[in-house]
Amino acid sequence: MAVNGAVTWLRRAEEIDGYDLSASDSEEVHVLAVDDSLVDRKVIERLLKITSCKVTAVDSGRRALQFLGLDEEKEANGFDGLKVDLIITDYCMPGMTGYELLKKVKESSAFREIPVVIMSSENVIARIDRCLEEGAEDFIVKPVKLSDVKRIIDYMTTDFREGEERRRGINKRKLRD
Amino acid sequence: MDRNRLQHQAASMRRSLFDQGYLDEPFIQLEELQDDASPNFVQEIVTLFYTDSARLIQNIEHALNSRPIDFDKLDDYMHQFKGSSSSIGAKMVTNECTVFREYCSAENAEGCIRSFQQVKQDYAILRRKLEVYLQMVRQAAVSQKA
């Protein structure tokens, strides 16, 4: 799974050519959190903020797709805006399940590169397998712990930074100093 | 009462909430997520939990009173209730929700009704205790050292 993640992040690093990274706040990972539960949404939001992420929390798969759709329009207009770096979604939701959202994201040419993490209160092997086969980056069993979130953000940002530094052949940290 | 006494009381109550099985690990995590940037986080989550629970309890009541009973709908509501109570570490409530869901999947109406009484009871007790505990924490925070 780590290998998969590295490949995904290297591809994303190529996509950001043209962005002025030293100027923008792109070190901050922007996470789209999807959960129909009021309580869980607030908790995941806090967990992500403590891990220094920007968070957009929505209550349904439909709203998540709408948000991504808006995002695309903004980019087309040249805004260096709210690019989503990670989607973390509950599995069991009314309307569109997390699995269905995952499929829609992976089927879209615009968004299939965005890693998707599934959360579920039910630790069902068949469910986990199905999600991973559909391209989910990881599967977290609820209740979500800070260590789960840290683990995911850590390996995401490490692969991203390493891939990008390799590609540009410079040490970004040096630029900052 | 001075701060030390109040803090001691709050700590004591907190310990008993865990010892008596009302709360477990996820609640500790909520406490750890509270800091200067988010000083009322625990209270905020708990308040959301009350709001959500009130809605779900009402829905479950309604579903249990309907004939024929829609067990799928019941299970769905209880799944949500179990989810949020599990997220805040409300151990006793969560466990009783599991019992309910077992009756639900067996389409045992009587079992569901009985179990739901227990869920409501556990929830009411937890809520009372949490309110007392969080009140103690607040009082300790604003009190003066003797």
mmCIF file of all heavy atoms in Angstrom, chain A residues 36-47 50 90 92 94 120-122 127 142-147, chain B residues 25-26 29-30 32-35 37-38 41 44-45 48-49 51-52 79-80 82-84 86-88 101:
data_model
loop_
_atom_site.group_PDB
_atom_site.id
_atom_site.type_symbol
_atom_site.label_atom_id
_atom_site.label_comp_id
_atom_site.label_asym_id
_atom_site.label_seq_id
_atom_site.Cartn_x
_atom_site.Cartn_y
_atom_site.Cartn_z
ATOM 1 N N ASP A 36 -21.798 11.460 7.606
ATOM 2 C CA ASP A 36 -23.154 11.943 7.876
ATOM 3 C C ASP A 36 -23.375 12.156 9.375
ATOM 4 O O ASP A 36 -24.347 12.790 9.770
ATOM 5 C CB ASP A 36 -24.211 10.978 7.308
ATOM 6 C CG ASP A 36 -24.140 9.605 7.952
ATOM 7 O OD1 ASP A 36 -23.034 9.030 8.029
ATOM 8 O OD2 ASP A 36 -25.191 9.085 8.374
ATOM 9 N N SER A 37 -22.505 11.606 10.210
ATOM 10 C CA SER A 37 -22.662 11.773 11.659
ATOM 11 C C SER A 37 -22.094 13.103 12.137
ATOM 12 O O SER A 37 -20.930 13.416 11.904
ATOM 13 C CB SER A 37 -21.957 10.625 12.391
ATOM 14 O OG SER A 37 -21.691 10.991 13.728
ATOM 15 N N LEU A 38 -22.940 13.842 12.811
ATOM 16 C CA LEU A 38 -22.585 15.145 13.368
ATOM 17 C C LEU A 38 -21.374 15.047 14.293
ATOM 18 O O LEU A 38 -20.406 15.806 14.190
ATOM 19 C CB LEU A 38 -23.801 15.617 14.188
ATOM 20 C CG LEU A 38 -24.108 17.091 14.356
ATOM 21 C CD1 LEU A 38 -24.147 17.786 13.022
ATOM 22 C CD2 LEU A 38 -25.462 17.229 15.036
ATOM 23 N N VAL A 39 -21.452 14.086 15.192
ATOM 24 C CA VAL A 39 -20.394 13.890 16.183
ATOM 25 C C VAL A 39 -19.079 13.517 15.501
ATOM 26 O O VAL A 39 -18.037 14.129 15.741
ATOM 27 C CB VAL A 39 -20.794 12.792 17.202
ATOM 28 C CG1 VAL A 39 -19.614 12.390 18.067
ATOM 29 C CG2 VAL A 39 -21.946 13.270 18.072
ATOM 30 N N ASP A 40 -19.146 12.521 14.610
ATOM 31 C CA ASP A 40 -17.927 12.049 13.943
ATOM 32 C C ASP A 40 -17.304 13.113 13.067
ATOM 33 O O ASP A 40 -16.083 13.189 12.954
ATOM 34 C CB ASP A 40 -18.236 10.791 13.113
ATOM 35 C CG ASP A 40 -18.512 9.589 13.990
ATOM 36 O OD1 ASP A 40 -18.305 9.689 15.223
ATOM 37 O OD2 ASP A 40 -18.933 8.543 13.474
ATOM 38 N N ARG A 41 -18.132 13.926 12.464
ATOM 39 C CA ARG A 41 -17.619 14.988 11.602
ATOM 40 C C ARG A 41 -16.799 15.968 12.418
ATOM 41 O O ARG A 41 -15.713 16.392 12.024
ATOM 42 C CB ARG A 41 -18.787 15.715 10.933
ATOM 43 C CG ARG A 41 -18.508 16.107 9.497
ATOM 44 C CD ARG A 41 -19.716 16.442 8.655
ATOM 45 N NE ARG A 41 -20.730 17.261 9.238
ATOM 46 C CZ ARG A 41 -21.985 16.840 9.438
ATOM 47 N NH1 ARG A 41 -22.323 15.612 9.122
ATOM 48 N NH2 ARG A 41 -22.881 17.655 9.947
ATOM 49 N N LYS A 42 -17.320 16.324 13.560
ATOM 50 C CA LYS A 42 -16.607 17.277 14.412
ATOM 51 C C LYS A 42 -15.300 16.671 14.934
ATOM 52 O O LYS A 42 -14.290 17.347 15.026
ATOM 53 C CB LYS A 42 -17.490 17.711 15.579
ATOM 54 C CG LYS A 42 -16.894 18.902 16.297
ATOM 55 C CD LYS A 42 -17.951 19.785 16.926
ATOM 56 C CE LYS A 42 -17.286 20.894 17.741
ATOM 57 N NZ LYS A 42 -17.204 22.147 17.022
ATOM 58 N N VAL A 43 -15.345 15.397 15.267
ATOM 59 C CA VAL A 43 -14.146 14.732 15.773
ATOM 60 C C VAL A 43 -13.077 14.646 14.692
ATOM 61 O O VAL A 43 -11.916 14.994 14.917
ATOM 62 C CB VAL A 43 -14.469 13.321 16.335
ATOM 63 C CG1 VAL A 43 -13.192 12.573 16.675
ATOM 64 C CG2 VAL A 43 -15.364 13.419 17.564
ATOM 65 N N ILE A 44 -13.449 14.206 13.506
ATOM 66 C CA ILE A 44 -12.448 14.045 12.430
ATOM 67 C C ILE A 44 -11.878 15.408 12.037
ATOM 68 O O ILE A 44 -10.683 15.523 11.752
ATOM 69 C CB ILE A 44 -13.029 13.274 11.204
ATOM 70 C CG1 ILE A 44 -11.911 12.850 10.250
ATOM 71 C CG2 ILE A 44 -14.042 14.072 10.412
ATOM 72 C CD1 ILE A 44 -11.059 11.720 10.767
ATOM 73 N N GLU A 45 -12.728 16.421 12.090
ATOM 74 C CA GLU A 45 -12.281 17.772 11.772
ATOM 75 C C GLU A 45 -11.181 18.191 12.756
ATOM 76 O O GLU A 45 -10.132 18.717 12.363
ATOM 77 C CB GLU A 45 -13.479 18.709 11.894
ATOM 78 C CG GLU A 45 -13.272 20.082 11.291
ATOM 79 C CD GLU A 45 -14.576 20.876 11.286
ATOM 80 O OE1 GLU A 45 -15.367 20.720 12.220
ATOM 81 O OE2 GLU A 45 -14.766 21.647 10.338
ATOM 82 N N ARG A 46 -11.417 17.941 14.028
ATOM 83 C CA ARG A 46 -10.459 18.300 15.072
ATOM 84 C C ARG A 46 -9.172 17.485 14.931
ATOM 85 O O ARG A 46 -8.075 18.020 15.013
ATOM 86 C CB ARG A 46 -11.095 18.070 16.440
ATOM 87 C CG ARG A 46 -10.198 18.445 17.597
ATOM 88 C CD ARG A 46 -10.286 19.921 17.946
ATOM 89 N NE ARG A 46 -9.287 20.229 18.959
ATOM 90 C CZ ARG A 46 -8.278 21.090 18.785
ATOM 91 N NH1 ARG A 46 -8.152 21.746 17.658
ATOM 92 N NH2 ARG A 46 -7.410 21.294 19.749
ATOM 93 N N LEU A 47 -9.321 16.198 14.672
ATOM 94 C CA LEU A 47 -8.150 15.327 14.502
ATOM 95 C C LEU A 47 -7.284 15.839 13.358
ATOM 96 O O LEU A 47 -6.060 15.863 13.453
ATOM 97 C CB LEU A 47 -8.585 13.881 14.216
ATOM 98 C CG LEU A 47 -9.175 13.097 15.379
ATOM 99 C CD1 LEU A 47 -9.732 11.765 14.889
ATOM 100 C CD2 LEU A 47 -8.127 12.832 16.454
ATOM 101 N N ILE A 50 -5.563 19.256 14.243
ATOM 102 C CA ILE A 50 -4.435 19.043 15.155
ATOM 103 C C ILE A 50 -3.235 18.505 14.392
ATOM 104 O O ILE A 50 -2.092 18.748 14.769
ATOM 105 C CB ILE A 50 -4.854 18.073 16.291
ATOM 106 C CG1 ILE A 50 -5.599 18.857 17.364
ATOM 107 C CG2 ILE A 50 -3.674 17.356 16.887
ATOM 108 C CD1 ILE A 50 -5.520 18.264 18.739
ATOM 109 N N ASP A 90 -16.601 8.296 5.520
ATOM 110 C CA ASP A 90 -17.277 7.225 6.212
ATOM 111 C C ASP A 90 -17.801 6.252 5.165
ATOM 112 O O ASP A 90 -18.104 6.647 4.038
ATOM 113 C CB ASP A 90 -18.436 7.819 7.034
ATOM 114 C CG ASP A 90 -19.047 6.796 7.973
ATOM 115 O OD1 ASP A 90 -18.351 5.829 8.358
ATOM 116 O OD2 ASP A 90 -20.220 6.971 8.333
ATOM 117 N N CYS A 92 -20.558 3.884 5.726
ATOM 118 C CA CYS A 92 -22.026 3.806 5.810
ATOM 119 C C CYS A 92 -22.653 5.176 5.843
ATOM 120 O O CYS A 92 -22.662 5.833 6.887
ATOM 121 C CB CYS A 92 -22.443 3.095 7.103
ATOM 122 S SG CYS A 92 -22.519 1.342 6.932
ATOM 123 N N PRO A 94 -26.225 7.427 4.233
ATOM 124 C CA PRO A 94 -27.438 7.332 3.423
ATOM 125 C C PRO A 94 -27.212 8.000 2.066
ATOM 126 O O PRO A 94 -26.349 8.850 1.922
ATOM 127 C CB PRO A 94 -28.468 8.113 4.238
ATOM 128 C CG PRO A 94 -27.686 9.025 5.095
ATOM 129 C CD PRO A 94 -26.359 8.369 5.357
ATOM 130 N N SER A 120 -14.794 3.100 8.863
ATOM 131 C CA SER A 120 -15.994 2.314 9.110
ATOM 132 C C SER A 120 -16.008 1.783 10.529
ATOM 133 O O SER A 120 -14.974 1.426 11.080
ATOM 134 C CB SER A 120 -16.060 1.159 8.110
ATOM 135 O OG SER A 120 -17.153 0.313 8.410
ATOM 136 N N SER A 121 -17.194 1.744 11.121
ATOM 137 C CA SER A 121 -17.309 1.191 12.465
ATOM 138 C C SER A 121 -17.275 -0.329 12.411
ATOM 139 O O SER A 121 -17.059 -0.993 13.416
ATOM 140 C CB SER A 121 -18.593 1.668 13.125
ATOM 141 O OG SER A 121 -19.687 1.375 12.280
ATOM 142 N N GLU A 122 -17.503 -0.866 11.221
ATOM 143 C CA GLU A 122 -17.519 -2.324 11.086
ATOM 144 C C GLU A 122 -16.251 -2.855 10.441
ATOM 145 O O GLU A 122 -15.864 -2.450 9.347
ATOM 146 C CB GLU A 122 -18.756 -2.773 10.289
ATOM 147 C CG GLU A 122 -19.905 -3.142 11.217
ATOM 148 C CD GLU A 122 -21.227 -2.508 10.824
ATOM 149 O OE1 GLU A 122 -21.378 -2.165 9.654
ATOM 150 O OE2 GLU A 122 -22.098 -2.375 11.699
ATOM 151 N N ARG A 127 -15.437 -6.080 3.246
ATOM 152 C CA ARG A 127 -15.647 -4.656 2.984
ATOM 153 C C ARG A 127 -14.300 -3.958 2.769
ATOM 154 O O ARG A 127 -14.140 -3.156 1.847
ATOM 155 C CB ARG A 127 -16.378 -4.019 4.165
ATOM 156 C CG ARG A 127 -16.577 -2.535 4.030
ATOM 157 C CD ARG A 127 -17.320 -1.968 5.219
ATOM 158 N NE ARG A 127 -18.704 -2.433 5.259
ATOM 159 C CZ ARG A 127 -19.609 -1.998 6.159
ATOM 160 N NH1 ARG A 127 -19.250 -1.117 7.068
ATOM 161 N NH2 ARG A 127 -20.834 -2.463 6.149
ATOM 162 N N LYS A 142 -13.454 2.683 12.973
ATOM 163 C CA LYS A 142 -13.896 3.679 13.966
ATOM 164 C C LYS A 142 -14.026 3.017 15.331
ATOM 165 O O LYS A 142 -14.317 1.824 15.400
ATOM 166 C CB LYS A 142 -15.274 4.225 13.560
ATOM 167 C CG LYS A 142 -15.241 5.234 12.428
ATOM 168 C CD LYS A 142 -16.665 5.704 12.166
ATOM 169 C CE LYS A 142 -16.687 6.981 11.352
ATOM 170 N NZ LYS A 142 -18.046 7.479 11.155
ATOM 171 N N PRO A 143 -13.876 3.762 16.439
ATOM 172 C CA PRO A 143 -13.640 5.209 16.455
ATOM 173 C C PRO A 143 -12.218 5.559 16.001
ATOM 174 O O PRO A 143 -11.272 4.871 16.375
ATOM 175 C CB PRO A 143 -13.840 5.603 17.921
ATOM 176 C CG PRO A 143 -14.007 4.375 18.705
ATOM 177 C CD PRO A 143 -14.082 3.220 17.785
ATOM 178 N N VAL A 144 -12.126 6.631 15.225
ATOM 179 C CA VAL A 144 -10.853 7.043 14.657
ATOM 180 C C VAL A 144 -9.961 7.619 15.756
ATOM 181 O O VAL A 144 -10.408 8.399 16.587
ATOM 182 C CB VAL A 144 -11.071 8.108 13.558
ATOM 183 C CG1 VAL A 144 -9.746 8.521 12.944
ATOM 184 C CG2 VAL A 144 -12.008 7.580 12.491
ATOM 185 N N LYS A 145 -8.715 7.208 15.741
ATOM 186 C CA LYS A 145 -7.771 7.716 16.739
ATOM 187 C C LYS A 145 -6.824 8.725 16.100
ATOM 188 O O LYS A 145 -6.608 8.697 14.884
ATOM 189 C CB LYS A 145 -6.955 6.564 17.331
ATOM 190 C CG LYS A 145 -7.805 5.547 18.104
ATOM 191 C CD LYS A 145 -6.936 4.592 18.907
ATOM 192 C CE LYS A 145 -6.218 3.582 18.046
ATOM 193 N NZ LYS A 145 -7.119 2.646 17.372
ATOM 194 N N LEU A 146 -6.231 9.546 16.932
ATOM 195 C CA LEU A 146 -5.263 10.527 16.442
ATOM 196 C C LEU A 146 -4.106 9.820 15.744
ATOM 197 O O LEU A 146 -3.611 10.282 14.716
ATOM 198 C CB LEU A 146 -4.750 11.381 17.600
ATOM 199 C CG LEU A 146 -3.803 12.530 17.227
ATOM 200 C CD1 LEU A 146 -4.447 13.490 16.233
ATOM 201 C CD2 LEU A 146 -3.362 13.284 18.468
ATOM 202 N N SER A 147 -3.701 8.667 16.282
ATOM 203 C CA SER A 147 -2.581 7.928 15.680
ATOM 204 C C SER A 147 -2.919 7.467 14.262
ATOM 205 O O SER A 147 -2.049 7.438 13.391
ATOM 206 C CB SER A 147 -2.205 6.729 16.548
ATOM 207 O OG SER A 147 -3.347 5.936 16.799
ATOM 208 N N GLU B 25 -12.019 4.461 26.497
ATOM 209 C CA GLU B 25 -10.915 5.086 25.772
ATOM 210 C C GLU B 25 -11.228 6.286 24.854
ATOM 211 O O GLU B 25 -10.566 7.318 24.947
ATOM 212 C CB GLU B 25 -10.166 3.989 25.000
ATOM 213 C CG GLU B 25 -8.969 4.461 24.184
ATOM 214 C CD GLU B 25 -7.875 5.087 25.000
ATOM 215 O OE1 GLU B 25 -7.583 4.565 26.094
ATOM 216 O OE2 GLU B 25 -7.330 6.110 24.556
ATOM 217 N N PRO B 26 -12.210 6.199 23.967
ATOM 218 C CA PRO B 26 -12.445 7.336 23.063
ATOM 219 C C PRO B 26 -12.716 8.652 23.801
ATOM 220 O O PRO B 26 -12.401 9.717 23.279
ATOM 221 C CB PRO B 26 -13.664 6.898 22.245
ATOM 222 C CG PRO B 26 -13.563 5.415 22.217
ATOM 223 C CD PRO B 26 -13.052 5.046 23.587
ATOM 224 N N GLN B 29 -9.493 10.281 24.454
ATOM 225 C CA GLN B 29 -9.001 10.935 23.251
ATOM 226 C C GLN B 29 -9.642 12.306 23.068
ATOM 227 O O GLN B 29 -8.969 13.267 22.706
ATOM 228 C CB GLN B 29 -9.246 10.076 22.013
ATOM 229 C CG GLN B 29 -9.021 10.915 20.772
ATOM 230 C CD GLN B 29 -8.565 10.149 19.586
ATOM 231 O OE1 GLN B 29 -7.404 9.767 19.442
ATOM 232 N NE2 GLN B 29 -9.497 9.929 18.708
ATOM 233 N N LEU B 30 -10.927 12.420 23.330
ATOM 234 C CA LEU B 30 -11.607 13.710 23.226
ATOM 235 C C LEU B 30 -10.954 14.716 24.177
ATOM 236 O O LEU B 30 -10.725 15.871 23.830
ATOM 237 C CB LEU B 30 -13.089 13.593 23.575
ATOM 238 C CG LEU B 30 -13.979 12.800 22.641
ATOM 239 C CD1 LEU B 30 -15.421 12.889 23.105
ATOM 240 C CD2 LEU B 30 -13.870 13.298 21.204
ATOM 241 N N GLU B 32 -7.938 14.651 25.197
ATOM 242 C CA GLU B 32 -6.606 14.979 24.668
ATOM 243 C C GLU B 32 -6.680 15.946 23.499
ATOM 244 O O GLU B 32 -5.721 16.639 23.199
ATOM 245 C CB GLU B 32 -5.872 13.698 24.249
ATOM 246 C CG GLU B 32 -5.420 12.882 25.445
ATOM 247 C CD GLU B 32 -4.843 11.522 25.071
ATOM 248 O OE1 GLU B 32 -4.876 11.161 23.883
ATOM 249 O OE2 GLU B 32 -4.394 10.822 25.990
ATOM 250 N N LEU B 33 -7.818 15.990 22.842
ATOM 251 C CA LEU B 33 -7.974 16.909 21.711
ATOM 252 C C LEU B 33 -8.339 18.316 22.161
ATOM 253 O O LEU B 33 -8.430 19.235 21.348
ATOM 254 C CB LEU B 33 -9.050 16.379 20.747
ATOM 255 C CG LEU B 33 -8.689 15.108 19.989
ATOM 256 C CD1 LEU B 33 -9.866 14.653 19.136
ATOM 257 C CD2 LEU B 33 -7.473 15.326 19.107
ATOM 258 N N GLN B 34 -8.579 18.473 23.448
ATOM 259 C CA GLN B 34 -8.915 19.777 23.986
ATOM 260 C C GLN B 34 -7.635 20.501 24.358
ATOM 261 O O GLN B 34 -6.751 19.909 24.943
ATOM 262 C CB GLN B 34 -9.815 19.601 25.219
ATOM 263 C CG GLN B 34 -10.297 20.907 25.825
ATOM 264 C CD GLN B 34 -11.507 20.687 26.717
ATOM 265 O OE1 GLN B 34 -12.572 20.324 26.239
ATOM 266 N NE2 GLN B 34 -11.345 20.897 28.012
ATOM 267 N N ASP B 35 -7.536 21.750 23.938
ATOM 268 C CA ASP B 35 -6.360 22.536 24.327
ATOM 269 C C ASP B 35 -6.730 24.009 24.339
ATOM 270 O O ASP B 35 -7.908 24.349 24.269
ATOM 271 C CB ASP B 35 -5.182 22.240 23.390
ATOM 272 C CG ASP B 35 -5.485 22.601 21.943
ATOM 273 O OD1 ASP B 35 -6.457 23.332 21.679
ATOM 274 O OD2 ASP B 35 -4.734 22.134 21.050
ATOM 275 N N ALA B 37 -6.407 26.172 22.071
ATOM 276 C CA ALA B 37 -7.051 26.570 20.818
ATOM 277 C C ALA B 37 -8.499 26.119 20.783
ATOM 278 O O ALA B 37 -9.356 26.724 20.137
ATOM 279 C CB ALA B 37 -6.291 25.986 19.631
ATOM 280 N N SER B 38 -8.788 25.037 21.476
ATOM 281 C CA SER B 38 -10.126 24.456 21.478
ATOM 282 C C SER B 38 -10.479 24.065 22.912
ATOM 283 O O SER B 38 -10.543 22.884 23.245
ATOM 284 C CB SER B 38 -10.123 23.230 20.558
ATOM 285 O OG SER B 38 -11.324 23.087 19.885
ATOM 286 N N PHE B 41 -13.748 21.772 23.762
ATOM 287 C CA PHE B 41 -13.985 20.722 22.788
ATOM 288 C C PHE B 41 -14.837 19.581 23.344
ATOM 289 O O PHE B 41 -15.792 19.147 22.708
ATOM 290 C CB PHE B 41 -12.653 20.178 22.256
ATOM 291 C CG PHE B 41 -12.821 19.156 21.181
ATOM 292 C CD1 PHE B 41 -13.298 19.522 19.932
ATOM 293 C CD2 PHE B 41 -12.535 17.816 21.410
ATOM 294 C CE1 PHE B 41 -13.474 18.576 18.929
ATOM 295 C CE2 PHE B 41 -12.713 16.862 20.416
ATOM 296 C CZ PHE B 41 -13.173 17.247 19.172
ATOM 297 N N GLU B 44 -18.385 20.590 23.666
ATOM 298 C CA GLU B 44 -19.011 20.763 22.354
ATOM 299 C C GLU B 44 -19.418 19.417 21.755
ATOM 300 O O GLU B 44 -20.520 19.257 21.242
ATOM 301 C CB GLU B 44 -18.053 21.491 21.400
ATOM 302 C CG GLU B 44 -17.950 22.990 21.680
ATOM 303 C CD GLU B 44 -16.738 23.636 21.025
ATOM 304 O OE1 GLU B 44 -16.104 22.996 20.144
ATOM 305 O OE2 GLU B 44 -16.413 24.773 21.398
ATOM 306 N N ILE B 45 -18.513 18.465 21.835
ATOM 307 C CA ILE B 45 -18.814 17.135 21.287
ATOM 308 C C ILE B 45 -19.961 16.498 22.068
ATOM 309 O O ILE B 45 -20.889 15.930 21.477
ATOM 310 C CB ILE B 45 -17.586 16.207 21.364
ATOM 311 C CG1 ILE B 45 -16.474 16.730 20.473
ATOM 312 C CG2 ILE B 45 -17.956 14.788 20.991
ATOM 313 C CD1 ILE B 45 -16.634 16.417 19.018
ATOM 314 N N LEU B 48 -23.226 17.963 21.088
ATOM 315 C CA LEU B 48 -23.650 17.435 19.790
ATOM 316 C C LEU B 48 -24.230 16.039 19.955
ATOM 317 O O LEU B 48 -25.218 15.671 19.311
ATOM 318 C CB LEU B 48 -22.461 17.352 18.829
ATOM 319 C CG LEU B 48 -22.077 18.622 18.065
ATOM 320 C CD1 LEU B 48 -20.858 18.362 17.203
ATOM 321 C CD2 LEU B 48 -23.230 19.093 17.199
ATOM 322 N N PHE B 49 -23.589 15.275 20.818
ATOM 323 C CA PHE B 49 -24.037 13.916 21.095
ATOM 324 C C PHE B 49 -25.452 13.927 21.678
ATOM 325 O O PHE B 49 -26.299 13.117 21.281
ATOM 326 C CB PHE B 49 -23.053 13.228 22.043
ATOM 327 C CG PHE B 49 -23.499 11.875 22.528
ATOM 328 C CD1 PHE B 49 -23.689 10.827 21.634
ATOM 329 C CD2 PHE B 49 -23.743 11.654 23.872
ATOM 330 C CE1 PHE B 49 -24.107 9.576 22.082
ATOM 331 C CE2 PHE B 49 -24.155 10.402 24.324
ATOM 332 C CZ PHE B 49 -24.347 9.369 23.431
ATOM 333 N N THR B 51 -27.774 16.227 21.267
ATOM 334 C CA THR B 51 -28.693 16.658 20.210
ATOM 335 C C THR B 51 -28.993 15.493 19.272
ATOM 336 O O THR B 51 -30.149 15.204 18.956
ATOM 337 C CB THR B 51 -28.064 17.794 19.380
ATOM 338 O OG1 THR B 51 -27.661 18.848 20.259
ATOM 339 C CG2 THR B 51 -29.045 18.336 18.350
ATOM 340 N N ASP B 52 -27.922 14.842 18.844
ATOM 341 C CA ASP B 52 -28.047 13.726 17.926
ATOM 342 C C ASP B 52 -28.839 12.588 18.554
ATOM 343 O O ASP B 52 -29.708 11.989 17.921
ATOM 344 C CB ASP B 52 -26.637 13.240 17.555
ATOM 345 C CG ASP B 52 -26.595 12.650 16.177
ATOM 346 O OD1 ASP B 52 -27.355 13.125 15.305
ATOM 347 O OD2 ASP B 52 -25.824 11.702 15.970
ATOM 348 N N HIS B 79 -27.816 1.895 14.416
ATOM 349 C CA HIS B 79 -26.443 1.916 13.912
ATOM 350 C C HIS B 79 -25.847 3.313 14.095
ATOM 351 O O HIS B 79 -24.699 3.468 14.517
ATOM 352 C CB HIS B 79 -26.437 1.493 12.446
ATOM 353 C CG HIS B 79 -25.143 1.716 11.741
ATOM 354 N ND1 HIS B 79 -24.097 0.821 11.787
ATOM 355 C CD2 HIS B 79 -24.705 2.742 10.983
ATOM 356 C CE1 HIS B 79 -23.083 1.290 11.084
ATOM 357 N NE2 HIS B 79 -23.423 2.452 10.584
ATOM 358 N N GLN B 80 -26.666 4.323 13.807
ATOM 359 C CA GLN B 80 -26.213 5.705 13.970
ATOM 360 C C GLN B 80 -25.971 6.033 15.439
ATOM 361 O O GLN B 80 -24.970 6.652 15.800
ATOM 362 C CB GLN B 80 -27.244 6.690 13.414
ATOM 363 C CG GLN B 80 -27.402 6.648 11.898
ATOM 364 C CD GLN B 80 -28.481 7.610 11.433
ATOM 365 O OE1 GLN B 80 -28.434 8.801 11.746
ATOM 366 N NE2 GLN B 80 -29.456 7.105 10.709
ATOM 367 N N LYS B 82 -25.373 3.941 17.872
ATOM 368 C CA LYS B 82 -24.214 3.183 18.332
ATOM 369 C C LYS B 82 -22.933 3.870 17.885
ATOM 370 O O LYS B 82 -21.968 3.960 18.632
ATOM 371 C CB LYS B 82 -24.266 1.755 17.790
ATOM 372 C CG LYS B 82 -23.134 0.904 18.318
ATOM 373 C CD LYS B 82 -23.159 -0.495 17.756
ATOM 374 C CE LYS B 82 -21.814 -1.159 18.093
ATOM 375 N NZ LYS B 82 -21.665 -2.463 17.467
ATOM 376 N N GLY B 83 -22.945 4.343 16.647
ATOM 377 C CA GLY B 83 -21.778 5.028 16.099
ATOM 378 C C GLY B 83 -21.371 6.246 16.902
ATOM 379 O O GLY B 83 -20.210 6.399 17.285
ATOM 380 N N SER B 84 -22.323 7.113 17.173
ATOM 381 C CA SER B 84 -21.944 8.331 17.896
ATOM 382 C C SER B 84 -21.619 8.051 19.356
ATOM 383 O O SER B 84 -20.719 8.672 19.920
ATOM 384 C CB SER B 84 -22.994 9.429 17.744
ATOM 385 O OG SER B 84 -24.251 8.962 18.124
ATOM 386 N N SER B 86 -20.269 5.362 20.467
ATOM 387 C CA SER B 86 -18.947 4.748 20.419
ATOM 388 C C SER B 86 -17.870 5.810 20.223
ATOM 389 O O SER B 86 -16.802 5.744 20.833
ATOM 390 C CB SER B 86 -18.921 3.725 19.291
ATOM 391 O OG SER B 86 -17.607 3.398 18.953
ATOM 392 N N SER B 87 -18.154 6.800 19.406
ATOM 393 C CA SER B 87 -17.177 7.859 19.130
ATOM 394 C C SER B 87 -16.850 8.686 20.353
ATOM 395 O O SER B 87 -15.755 9.230 20.447
ATOM 396 C CB SER B 87 -17.680 8.784 18.024
ATOM 397 O OG SER B 87 -17.724 8.090 16.806
ATOM 398 N N ILE B 88 -17.796 8.831 21.277
ATOM 399 C CA ILE B 88 -17.461 9.614 22.474
ATOM 400 C C ILE B 88 -17.039 8.717 23.633
ATOM 401 O O ILE B 88 -16.726 9.190 24.714
ATOM 402 C CB ILE B 88 -18.605 10.564 22.936
ATOM 403 C CG1 ILE B 88 -19.771 9.787 23.532
ATOM 404 C CG2 ILE B 88 -19.055 11.480 21.819
ATOM 405 C CD1 ILE B 88 -20.519 10.627 24.567
ATOM 406 N N ARG B 101 -29.402 -4.297 18.413
ATOM 407 C CA ARG B 101 -29.265 -4.646 17.001
ATOM 408 C C ARG B 101 -29.372 -6.146 16.772
ATOM 409 O O ARG B 101 -29.815 -6.594 15.707
ATOM 410 C CB ARG B 101 -27.963 -4.075 16.444
ATOM 411 C CG ARG B 101 -27.981 -2.543 16.382
ATOM 412 C CD ARG B 101 -26.751 -1.995 15.711
ATOM 413 N NE ARG B 101 -26.848 -2.127 14.258
ATOM 414 C CZ ARG B 101 -25.806 -2.065 13.439
ATOM 415 N NH1 ARG B 101 -24.591 -1.894 13.924
ATOM 416 N NH2 ARG B 101 -25.969 -2.180 12.140
#
